[in-house]
Amino acid sequence: MRGAPHLPVLLLLLRGVAGTLESAACGQPRVSSRIVGGRDARAGEWPWQASVQRRGAHVCGGALVNPRWVLTAAHCLRRQAPVTEYRVLLGALRLGRASPRALSVPVQRALLHPDFSEDGARGDLALLQLRRPAPRSARVQPVCLPEPGARPPPGAPCWVTGWGSLRPGVSLPAWRPLQGVRVPVVDAGTCDRLYHVGTSVPGAQQIVLPGNLCAGYPQGRKDACQGDSGGPLACLESGRWVLVGVVSWGKGCALPYRPGVYTNVATYSSWVHARLGH
């Protein structure tokens, strides 16, 4: 779905967390630090990155948030499709060639947020429970979750990652590795105003809703695109990477006045935490 509630397309965010019991064991890849306008990732640079696959084909990105759970976008899942059709690939750098270090784990169950609307405007989150825990390694590690209600400041430099299109209609070649692009967080009011530019939608009618988070550039050029949906937008906070957003929607890819719109993970983090222990 990179398509919007009043306009069309999809994106994701990621941000660091502090103060949780699991925070010491998350968001610290051993490798320090292309999506549209991005660059090739290195092995182990984004060890929480997941490929959500249906019948063996990549459909969306996702983020490992603990050894048994992956967070993705609800719109990535077909309601009528049995959960047995889904697997999650972890620890991979390229999707087009098998890696002995990558893990392909069956999905045991999928939980969609109860507020999810089919247009993706609200509650665009889903949790995938893996059939078995993913062992931690240099290439597989969970990302930190944000505190409830937290929001990164405007301008905060974050990274969105995925195997989606390099530009609309141009798929990522199988030989290209995972792509990552740095995008700054955009203030919610500014993002909503940008999305009204060039439309007939009244200014008083919100396009970007409170449960969303925006990141990108007014001039465009760098963005997530088709196939990146459900993927993470991560921000570095106090030395740890935090999942602040999940790629949800956008208008086109990397267009002027159309930043990427993510589901704000902090808005729904109480729901996420409540289910991680089950």
Side-chain angles (χ1 to χ4, degrees):
M1 154 183 177
R2 206 166 186 255
H6 297 290
L7 301 159
V9 129
L10 153 85
L11 270 179
L12 129 69
L13 275 179
L14 166 65
R15 152 182 187 143
V17 68
T20 65
L21 291 176
E22 57 191 38
S23 63
C26 65
Q28 295 180 301
R30 298 178 194 176
V31 175
S32 60
S33 319
R34 287 203 214 245
I35 296 204
V36 180
R39 65 166 178 80
D40 294 350
R42 291 170 289 171
E45 187 174 9
W46 311 107
W48 44 83
Q49 178 74 45
S51 167
V52 178
Q53 305 188 341
R54 180 172 179 251
R55 297 178 179 175
H58 172 83
V59 293
C60 276
L64 186 72
V65 293
N66 84 12
R68 286 292 298 271
W69 292 92
V70 166
L71 190 63
T72 187
H75 78 257
C76 291
L77 307 176
R78 296 193 177 207
R79 289 186 183 271
Q80 291 78 25
V83 73
T84 51
E85 292 185 353
Y86 289 93
R87 299 180 73 92
V88 169
L89 183 67
L90 298 166
L93 186 60
R94 294 173 177 84
L95 296 181
R97 69 179 66 160
S99 168
R101 300 183 186 180
L103 304 172
S104 180
V105 188
V107 174
Q108 182 171 307
R109 62 173 170 159
L111 303 176
L112 275 62
H113 193 278
D115 290 343
F116 173 58
S117 57
E118 293 296 340
D119 62 4
R122 294 179 177 83
D124 192 15
L125 283 182
L127 277 165
L128 303 179
Q129 185 178 33
L130 306 181
R131 190 171 296 174
R132 59 181 182 274
R136 178 185 296 269
S137 70
R139 297 192 182 206
V140 177
Q141 182 186 131
V143 67
C144 300
L145 287 167
E147 297 284 1
R151 182 176 284 266
C158 303
W159 284 77
V160 58
T161 51
W163 288 281
S165 300
L166 294 177
R167 58 183 182 273
V170 180
S171 299
L172 182 74
W175 54 268
R176 288 292 293 271
L178 178 71
Q179 300 291 291
V181 66
R182 181 173 168 172
V183 285
V185 172
V186 178
D187 171 79
T190 300
C191 186
D192 190 63
R193 287 191 293 274
L194 288 171
Y195 265 88
H196 280 84
V197 173
T199 76
S200 58
V201 179
Q205 181 179 334
Q206 276 189 303
I207 296 174
V208 180
L209 301 180
N212 296 143
L213 182 65
C214 298
Y217 299 88
Q219 67 272 31
R221 297 205 298 267
K222 297 183 179 183
D223 197 359
C225 202
Q226 283 83 6
D228 291 319
S229 291
L233 177 67
C235 302
L236 188 62
E237 299 180 0
S238 302
R240 292 190 178 95
W241 289 94
V242 179
L243 183 65
V244 296
V246 169
V247 178
S248 183
W249 62 269
K251 169 64 176 174
C253 302
L255 296 178
Y257 312 120
R258 300 294 186 263
V261 183
Y262 301 78
T263 301
N264 184 1
V265 177
T267 301
Y268 304 97
S269 59
S270 295
W271 176 81
V272 173
H273 279 294
R275 276 137 195 90
L276 294 185
H278 290 69

